[in-house]
């Protein structure tokens, strides 16, 4: 896609006024969105106003609508909820209320509104926009405003961002707050698992989601729950018996605990509610298991936003301002949304109508339709959960006589175990015999390989690191021994889960096919590395967990600095030569600068950064945060930068440095990594099965084409299998990074939000698209 870059410098906000409000239920990450709107607005020379307490503040006016400065949004990035308040507002539902709101906005010249809230809030905003000219005329008739104002403020522009922990809005893959709510749920589930294990208990967990089962479904997927109840997919008649059989089978398999997750809006197929208490009573009466109920409630809305939500909200906030600047009287109200890894703009009312369609389908008992309307991401989650949670009896499983081996290669990354679990279970469901290789290719060459069963991988999703063991050793040293092992164990396919080494290993196996026929089998690489430096994919398993570890530490460090004042912290992150962690960590933690290898810098830039911080210390924000990738420059080391800053900042600020080190590789995997690992692994296993069928000739598997050694990655909006031989041309092998990296486009975003002048290529930012209905087939091929 060759296009001339289009820069937003030609989009000036001079003379424009933007109002930002949060409405409806609060969600973590709303503050990050507010901060991005304010700073981007001020950056393009627009005036920006806070509207406190949502629509109520707009109706009440006065001190509720206040012009804000750059510093007004300092230190709010890491705060949950919304600092500008949110309220349910009855008066805005009346025409009188909206008339008063219009008057309050016109008084301040605000004709651009950025609304952060759920579908109710956005529908209200759209109605307000449609009535706007009529409201102004009425105000003029009443003599409250003059004809001049009616002409000057003739139309109202509206852009919405969806802030809702339920992820119940159609047209967007993730709403602001959903990822953070999943963090809260998974923290609780992980904690409950240890106590349940001690006492052999069954826990029934109730999570939020009155009309949408997203949180319940994804948390069930992320913790390997035994059963899940969601409104969109009621259990079949007789579910009570099936559930009890499943729970007692699991106990018989020596599983010491059961987890059942119930969405608060769960129903049966007759639209009758299924409550957590009802489920508990059932388990106690039928099975006599020691059972406890935990209702998570408002814990899910609280706490600090996750790294994902901060980056999502920051990207959306900037996109929202661009959409407002480009708005014309003919542009429909739009929502800024996320599709795959891409920010898109969609007509607000199309999204709202589709969201209402889901509810209608559920009310009328059309549940298959409801799941489809929720979108391909939801459908994918449901299909994967069904695949992994229930083992069919052996008699019902197909028998393929294929043996598939799974191994981890490279450094450990959180989420690897979730991927292994999914591969083993899907493999068994497809009828294969699954083998686990211990300690990567080194272990393979020594014959450390064993069959692995369904029950062996129970409880793996929440475990960090690599249970199978992993080594960085590449296969080139041991090709003959590995070929021997493949022949001895009759291995017909390989799934390699790991980082750059995994990708390189599979290239070596591909190239060795001419000498060793044993390697002529389907091979699939799953990218799993905290560095996110594997070509062919936007995300790697483990990078999200590492990013959260970095952001959490940066939050603590910023807090310590706010006590001492006038302090700058230099923080070194991992990532090899790939600047992903440093750059995205800086965006999510609100850093002043991030030094990375991909963007060369010299002493002049370092000097400019010091001067920038010196200026900042004169304001009320008296702290600085600078991230540095470990290999960004061999001479400008962390020590060098620390000493330079210390010397140049003498008398203005003092400096501290911090090397984060291996804490970035550890920890329990984040919900995103558990899910991403689970879903891409299940998809990869289905690909392997397909390839095995295609390449089975005369009693043996023989695959020697390029497309039988693939890497499964997420590219923009889709999951794609790409032959490693083709990815070779996209790789810088010296520095072990892809030649093109999508996140470099977000670099100017970080600089803008840190008050640097920069140019930002907005060619990718959205033309208005339409909400696409997808066919059931698409759910299999498409998004995460």
């Amino acid at each position: 896609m060759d296009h001339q870059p289009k820069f937003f410098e030609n989009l000036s906000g001079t003379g424009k006024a933007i109002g930002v409000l949060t409405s409806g239920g609060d969600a973590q990450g709303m503050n990050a969105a507010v901060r991005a709107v304010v700073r981007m607005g001020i950056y393009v020379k627009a005036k920006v106003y806070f509207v406190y307490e949502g629509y109520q503040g707009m109706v009440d006016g006065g001190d509720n609508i206040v012009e804000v400065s750059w510093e007004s949004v300092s230190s709010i990035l890491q705060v949950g909820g919304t600092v500008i308040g949110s309220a349910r507002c009855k008066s805005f539902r009346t025409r009188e209320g909206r008339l008063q709101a219009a008057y309050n906005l016109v008084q301040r010249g605000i004709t651009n509104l950025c609304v952060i809230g759920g579908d109710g809030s956005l529908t209200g905003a759209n109605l307000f926009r449609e009535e706007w000219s009529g409201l102004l005329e009425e105000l003029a008739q009443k003599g409250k405003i003059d004809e001049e104002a009616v002409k000057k403020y003739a139309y109202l522009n509206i852009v919405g961002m969806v802030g809702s922990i339920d992820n119940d809005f159609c047209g967007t893959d993730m709403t602001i707050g959903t990822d953070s709510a999943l963090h809260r749920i998974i923290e609780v589930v992980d904690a409950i698992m240890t106590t349940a294990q001690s006492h052999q208990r069954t826990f029934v967990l109730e999570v939020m989601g009155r009309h949408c089962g997203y949180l319940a479904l994804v948390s069930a997927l992320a913790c390997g729950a035994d059963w899940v109840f969601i409104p969109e997919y009621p259990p079949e008649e007789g579910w009570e018996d099936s559930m009890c059989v499943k729970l007692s089978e699991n106990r018989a398999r020596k599983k010491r605990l059961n987890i059942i997750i119930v969405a608060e809006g769960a129903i049966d197929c007759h639209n009758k509610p299924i409550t957590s208490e009802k489920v508990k009573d059932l388990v106690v009466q039928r099975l006599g298991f020691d059972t406890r109920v935990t209702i998570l409630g408002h814990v899910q809305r609280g706490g600090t936003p996750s790294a994902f939500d901060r980056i999502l909200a920051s990207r959306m906030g900037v996109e929202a301002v661009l959409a407002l600047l480009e708005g014309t009287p003919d542009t429909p109200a739009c929502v800024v949304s996320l599709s795959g890894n891409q920010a898109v703009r969609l007509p607000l009312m199309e999204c709202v109508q589709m969201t209402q369609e889901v509810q209608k389908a559920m009310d009328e008992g059309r549940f298959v339709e409801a799941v489809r309307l929720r979108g391909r991401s939801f459908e994918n989650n449901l299909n994967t959960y069904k695949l992994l949670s229930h083992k069919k009896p052996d008699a019902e499983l197909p028998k393929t006589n294929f043996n598939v081996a799974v191994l981890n290669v490279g450094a450990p990354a959180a989420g690897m175990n979730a991927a292994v679990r999914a591969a083993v279970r899907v493999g068994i469901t497809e009828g294969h015999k699954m083998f686990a290789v211990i300690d990567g290719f080194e272990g393979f060459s020594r014959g450390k390989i064993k069959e692995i069963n369904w029950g062996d991988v129970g409880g793996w999703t929440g475990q960090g690191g690599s249970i199978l063991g992993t080594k960085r050793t590449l296969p080139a040293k041991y090709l003959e021994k590995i070929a021997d092992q493949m022949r001895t164990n009759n291995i017909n396919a390989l799934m390699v889960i790991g980082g750059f080494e995994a990708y390189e290993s599979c290239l070596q196996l591909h190239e060795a096919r001419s000498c060793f026929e044993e390697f002529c089998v389907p091979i699939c690489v799953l990218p799993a590395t905290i560095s996110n430096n594997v070509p062919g994919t936007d995300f790697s398993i483990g990078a999200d967990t590492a990013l959260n570890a970095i952001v959490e530490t940066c939050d603590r460090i910023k807090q310590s600095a706010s006590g001492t004042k006038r302090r700058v912290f230099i923080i070194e992150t991992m990532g090899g030569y790939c600047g992903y962690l440093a750059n995205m960590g800086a965006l999510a933690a609100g850093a002043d600068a991030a030094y990375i290898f991909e963007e060369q810098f010299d002493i002049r830039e370092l000097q400019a950064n010091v001067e920038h911080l010196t200026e900042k210390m004169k304001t009320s924000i008296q702290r600085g945060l600078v991230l540095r990738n470990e290999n960004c420059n061999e001479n400008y080391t962390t020590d060098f930068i620390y000493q330079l800053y210390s010397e140049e900042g003498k008398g203005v600020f003092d400096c501290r440095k911090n090397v984060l080190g291996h804490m970035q590789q550890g920890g329990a995997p984040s919900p995103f990594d558990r899910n991403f690992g689970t879903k891409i692994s299940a998809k990869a296993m289905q690909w392997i099965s397909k390839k095995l069928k295609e390449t089975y000739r005369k009693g043996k598997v023989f695959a020697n084409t390029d497309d039988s050694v693939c890497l499964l990655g997420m590219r923009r909006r889709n999951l794609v299998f790409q032959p490693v031989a083709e990815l070779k041309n996209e790789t810088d092998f010296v520095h072990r990074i892809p030649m093109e990296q999508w996140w470099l486009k977000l670099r100017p975003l970080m600089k803008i939000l840190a008050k640097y002048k920069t140019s930002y290529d907005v060619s990718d930012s959205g033309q208005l698209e339409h909400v696409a209905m997808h066919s059931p087939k698409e759910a299999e091929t498409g998004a995460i």
Side-chain angles (χ1 to χ4, degrees):
M1 177 175 139
D2 288 329
H3 54 233
Q4 282 303 305
K6 171 179 118 196
F7 295 102
F8 75 79
E9 278 77 353
N10 0 3
L11 293 173
S12 166
T14 313
K16 292 199 174 184
I18 299 172
V20 59
L21 69 143
T22 52
S23 172
D26 68 318
Q28 309 95 321
M30 279 183 165
N31 290 326
V34 168
R35 169 181 178 266
V37 170
V38 169
R39 292 197 165 173
M40 185 66 177
I42 291 171
Y43 189 87
V44 295
K45 302 189 169 53
K47 284 182 167 186
V48 187
Y49 290 82
F50 274 169
V51 179
Y52 286 102
E53 311 307 335
Y55 289 121
Q56 192 63 56
M58 205 192 289
V59 174
D60 295 347
D63 293 344
N64 290 304
I65 307 175
V66 182
E67 189 178 347
V68 287
S69 68
W70 190 273
E71 288 151 47
S72 309
V73 288
S74 168
S75 300
I76 68 170
L77 186 61
Q78 64 273 25
V79 180
T82 161
V83 295
I84 55 177
S86 174
R88 309 258 178 227
C89 175
K90 286 205 176 92
S91 48
F92 192 74
R93 293 183 178 179
T94 64
R95 188 167 166 95
E96 289 70 52
R98 293 192 290 277
L99 194 66
Q100 188 55 43
Y103 174 70
N104 291 331
L105 293 184
V106 169
Q107 291 300 95
R108 295 162 179 81
I110 301 171
T111 54
N112 295 280
L113 272 189
C114 181
V115 182
I116 308 163
D119 57 345
S121 315
L122 299 183
T123 313
N126 191 60
L127 175 65
F128 190 42
R129 179 180 169 278
E130 285 171 354
E131 290 183 351
W132 182 257
S133 53
L135 292 170
L136 293 201
E137 276 163 23
E138 194 176 322
L139 287 169
Q141 279 163 12
K142 290 185 174 173
K144 286 196 159 187
I145 59 172
D146 54 23
E147 284 303 323
E148 178 84 359
V150 177
K151 283 196 193 104
K152 191 175 174 187
Y153 305 122
Y155 70 96
L156 178 69
N157 251 328
I158 287 203
V159 173
M161 282 185 267
V162 191
S164 153
I165 65 165
D166 291 342
N167 203 22
D168 56 357
F169 195 77
C170 291
T172 178
D173 284 353
M174 286 292 262
T175 57
I176 297 168
T178 306
D179 188 66
S180 304
L182 285 170
H183 272 260
R184 297 298 93 79
I185 295 170
I186 293 304
E187 283 157 19
V188 171
V189 175
D190 286 354
I192 276 177
M193 277 184 159
T194 53
T195 163
Q197 202 123 20
S198 311
H199 297 278
Q200 295 202 36
R201 281 197 175 128
T202 295
F203 267 87
V204 181
L205 255 87
E206 184 180 302
V207 301
M208 281 185 166
R210 264 200 315 272
H211 307 296
C212 179
Y214 185 88
L215 290 179
L217 178 57
V218 174
S219 44
L221 199 54
C223 71
D226 297 85
W227 204 272
V228 64
F229 293 98
I230 58 172
E232 293 88 343
Y233 187 75
E236 292 160 3
E237 288 278 15
W239 61 268
E240 296 89 345
D241 300 334
S242 333
M243 184 181 81
C244 291
V245 167
K246 167 97 195 290
L247 296 179
S248 46
E249 273 176 7
N250 280 350
R251 283 292 167 95
R253 283 198 205 111
K254 302 278 187 295
K255 190 177 175 188
R256 292 179 60 90
L257 77 159
N258 304 106
I259 301 275
I260 299 165
I261 293 182
V262 185
E264 60 179 331
I267 46 174
D268 64 15
C269 49
H270 305 297
N271 252 332
K272 298 267 184 301
I274 296 176
T275 63
S276 40
E277 279 301 327
K278 182 179 172 179
V279 175
K280 176 200 160 174
D281 295 342
L282 185 76
V283 176
V284 172
Q285 282 159 18
R286 298 259 184 117
L287 301 171
F289 290 174
D290 184 359
T291 307
R292 298 282 190 276
V293 172
T294 300
I295 296 173
L296 267 68
H298 282 73
V299 165
Q300 295 159 85
R301 281 193 193 279
T304 178
S306 65
F308 181 94
D309 272 332
R310 297 181 195 196
I311 292 165
L312 170 69
S314 301
R315 283 175 74 180
M316 284 185 174
V318 167
E319 184 73 25
V321 173
L322 294 177
L324 285 172
L325 292 185
E326 291 171 2
T328 66
D330 307 323
T331 327
C334 75
V335 270
V336 182
S337 136
L338 187 74
S339 174
N341 184 25
Q342 208 168 350
V344 292
R345 296 178 198 170
L346 301 166
L348 189 144
M349 284 324 285
E350 279 186 30
C351 297
V352 168
Q353 271 151 6
M354 199 148 137
T355 306
Q356 288 165 351
E357 281 294 310
V358 180
Q359 193 51 50
K360 199 171 157 216
M362 279 155 58
D363 292 341
E364 292 169 9
R366 294 180 285 117
F367 295 108
V368 174
E369 180 75 354
V371 168
R372 197 167 67 86
L373 287 167
R374 276 271 178 246
R376 54 186 188 166
S377 164
F378 188 91
E379 203 167 346
N380 238 332
N381 284 321
L382 185 58
N383 292 337
T384 311
Y385 177 76
K386 288 194 285 196
L387 208 56
L388 296 174
S389 61
H390 302 279
K391 181 178 191 287
K392 287 182 182 162
D394 289 347
E396 286 179 31
L397 289 173
K399 279 281 173 285
T400 61
N401 296 323
F402 291 132
N403 295 344
V404 181
V406 183
L407 68 161
N408 293 158
V409 179
M416 275 182 163
N417 300 322
V420 173
R421 168 184 175 266
V424 169
R425 292 197 166 176
V426 175
I428 291 170
T429 308
E430 302 263 323
H432 313 317
K433 228 182 195 180
M434 296 302 298
F435 287 84
V437 177
I438 314 299
D439 296 340
F441 282 108
E442 197 174 302
F444 207 167
S445 69
R446 295 191 190 143
K448 291 165 102 176
I449 178 168
K450 58 172 197 228
E451 191 180 340
I452 186 164
N453 298 311
W454 184 281
D456 299 337
V457 290
W460 278 30
T461 39
Q463 306 280 329
S466 160
I467 296 172
L468 292 184
T470 178
K471 286 264 194 294
R472 289 177 182 270
T473 325
L474 296 177
K477 282 163 100 174
Y478 308 110
L479 286 172
E480 209 163 310
K481 287 181 176 171
I482 293 169
D484 279 348
Q485 289 298 332
M486 291 205 39
R487 195 169 50 251
T488 312
N489 293 288
N490 189 23
I491 300 298
N492 308 113
L494 279 181
M495 187 188 288
V496 186
I497 302 166
F500 199 87
E501 290 89 352
Y503 158 67
E504 261 186 306
S505 300
C506 293
L507 263 175
Q508 290 181 357
L509 295 180
H510 176 257
E511 279 155 17
R513 278 175 164 182
S514 50
C515 311
F516 300 97
E517 205 177 278
E518 289 81 358
F519 301 141
C520 294
V521 295
I523 300 173
C524 191
V525 189
L526 292 188
T529 164
I530 66 164
S531 307
N532 199 24
N533 62 334
V534 182
T537 187
D538 292 353
F539 292 118
S540 308
I541 301 165
D544 183 69
T545 306
L547 202 52
N548 276 296
I550 291 168
V551 169
E552 209 174 301
T553 311
C554 288
D555 284 352
R556 291 183 181 191
I557 285 170
K558 269 168 79 172
Q559 204 169 23
S560 82
S562 65
T564 41
K565 297 277 188 292
R566 298 184 180 232
R567 181 164 282 177
V568 175
F569 277 89
I570 318 282
I571 293 172
E572 182 187 300
T573 68
M574 283 171 126
Y577 283 96
C578 176
Y580 178 82
L581 289 178
N583 187 66
M584 300 306 257
L587 184 56
D592 296 281
Y595 299 117
I596 59 171
F597 169 76
E598 290 88 346
E599 196 175 276
Q600 293 298 303
F601 57 96
D602 56 20
I603 195 73
R604 285 182 293 278
E605 190 160 337
L606 289 170
Q607 182 62 38
N609 290 150
V610 173
E611 284 164 11
H612 189 267
L613 280 164
T614 309
E615 282 305 303
K616 186 177 173 183
M617 294 299 162
K618 292 176 185 166
T619 70
S620 58
I621 320 169
Q622 299 186 344
R623 53 167 170 57
L625 191 65
V626 175
L627 271 67
R628 176 190 175 274
N629 160 272
E630 56 185 354
N631 289 342
C632 64
N633 187 303
E634 58 180 332
N635 295 315
Y636 297 146
T637 61
T638 303
D639 282 332
F640 176 89
I641 292 177
Y642 162 68
Q643 285 160 351
L644 178 85
Y645 272 63
S646 298
E647 181 59 35
E648 295 293 318
K650 257 189 192 156
V652 183
F653 56 80
D654 63 355
C655 253
R656 294 286 184 277
K657 65 171 188 226
N658 216 314
V659 177
L660 298 183
H662 280 74
M663 62 155 293
Q664 295 163 83
Q665 263 181 21
S670 67
F672 180 90
D673 280 331
R674 296 181 194 199
N675 265 7
F676 185 53
T678 299
K679 280 196 277 195
I680 65 171
S681 180
K683 198 174 172 68
M685 203 65 223
Q686 288 165 331
W687 176 85
I688 284 176
S689 295
K690 189 170 117 253
K691 285 285 172 211
L692 283 169
K693 284 190 195 98
E694 286 171 12
T695 57
Y696 186 67
R697 300 273 178 284
K698 297 177 185 160
K700 65 179 292 196
V701 171
F702 185 75
N704 65 345
T705 52
D706 282 356
D707 69 354
S708 58
V709 188
C710 278
L711 180 138
L712 173 56
M714 179 170 171
R715 281 266 166 112
R716 291 170 89 97
R717 300 191 191 184
N718 292 309
L719 286 173
V720 211
F721 289 95
Q722 300 144 104
V724 291
E726 285 175 18
L727 290 174
K728 217 171 153 178
N729 309 324
E730 299 177 22
T731 311
D732 169 353
F733 284 98
V734 179
H735 300 105
R736 301 157 60 88
I737 51 174
M739 287 176 184
E740 277 193 23
Q741 304 187 80
W742 68 273
W743 53 265
L744 283 167
K745 282 198 167 146
L746 299 186
R747 235 178 120 60
L749 208 87
M750 185 208 88
K751 293 181 179 175
I752 288 167
L753 297 176
K755 215 173 186 175
Y756 283 91
K757 288 277 175 276
T758 183
S759 60
Y760 181 41
D761 177 2
V762 293
S763 352
D764 266 2
S765 76
Q767 296 320 301
L768 200 65
E769 298 183 13
H770 289 284
V771 183
M773 273 300 302
H774 69 285
S775 65
K777 186 76 202 134
E778 222 181 294
E780 296 161 32
T781 56
I784 283 299

